[in-house]
Amino acid sequence: QVQLVESGGGLVQAGGSLRISCTPSTRFFSINTMAWYRQAPQKQRELVASITTAGNTNYADSVKGRFTISRDNAKNTAYLQMNSLKPEDTAIYYCYLKNFNFEYWGQGTQVTVSS
């Protein structure tokens, strides 16, 4: 069973920065996509950013220019650097990996931004 291990969430003041990371328990040698989703209380889960093995990225409009997704294929890890955080970024952030038709989710890491 593949597990996605997330780390790096926490509490930060508005305007601050956090970096969260995600490492799968299994190394994938095939082309895959990793992404970060988030879910705020009483809201639907939404895509924050995604990145392919080749490094192609996609961002939600709400985070463009503030968040950066990256991956280190040698370390089998994906990162989300979050700058200029806003209270509305408060949510549980979930790591996601798609490999062929298989999809995997992490347990989530809480990010709280205080005003």
Side-chain angles (χ1 to χ4, degrees), residues 8-22:
L11 173 64
V12 64
Q13 287 188 331
S17 299
L18 277 176
R19 189 178 79 159
I20 54 179
S21 64
C22 173

Side-chain angles (χ1 to χ4, degrees), residues 6 20 36-41 44-46 48 89-95 106-112:
E6 301 143 330
I20 54 179
W36 290 97
Y37 285 74
R38 67 185 180 187
Q39 187 167 18
Q44 289 189 329
R45 191 174 296 190
E46 62 175 357
V48 176
D89 294 319
T90 295
I92 299 175
Y93 285 69
Y94 296 92
C95 181
Q107 294 295 314
T109 184
Q110 178 70 46
V111 172
T112 302

Side-chain angles (χ1 to χ4, degrees), residues 35-72:
W36 290 97
Y37 285 74
R38 67 185 180 187
Q39 187 167 18
Q42 300 181 337
K43 290 191 176 181
Q44 289 189 329
R45 191 174 296 190
E46 62 175 357
L47 175 66
V48 176
S50 64
I51 186 167
T52 67
T53 309
N56 298 312
T57 58
N58 182 50
Y59 294 93
D61 288 341
S62 60
V63 306
K64 283 181 181 176
R66 300 188 298 121
F67 290 11
T68 302
I69 189 170
S70 62
R71 63 190 293 168
D72 185 332

